[in-house]
Amino acid sequence: MEMSPLHITEEELQAELAAIEAESIGRLPLGQGAYLHVGNPDALVINVVGVSDEGMAGMNVLLVG
């Protein structure tokens, strides 16, 4: 029995690749366009930003875009 190939749109492929990239650098996907980076699990503050930078490495950051 032959299996048919899985077909996805270019948009779906790009979204999946973005999610994989985010997970590979420690960001947890929360929903479409929202990721959580836990730099300090003991911190009481989560910074909400649209763009992160290297200076946020030890911070808890909610990236929304």
Side-chain angles (χ1 to χ4, degrees), residues 19-53:
I20 291 168
E21 180 182 2
E23 289 176 28
S24 73
I25 58 174
R27 294 179 182 167
L28 306 169
L30 300 178
Q32 186 175 358
Y35 299 90
L36 177 64
H37 174 79
V38 180
N40 181 355
D42 296 324
L44 299 176
V45 175
I46 298 175
N47 297 287
V48 180
V49 299
V51 178
S52 63
D53 61 43

Side-chain angles (χ1 to χ4, degrees), residues 11 15 21 37 39 59-60:
E11 184 177 280
E21 180 182 2
H37 174 79
M59 298 177 176
N60 298 329

Side-chain angles (χ1 to χ4, degrees), residues 6-29:
L6 177 64
H7 296 284
I8 62 173
T9 67
E10 182 65 26
E11 184 177 280
E12 291 170 326
L13 175 61
Q14 293 307 315
E16 183 66 21
L17 290 174
I20 291 168
E21 180 182 2
E23 289 176 28
S24 73
I25 58 174
R27 294 179 182 167
L28 306 169

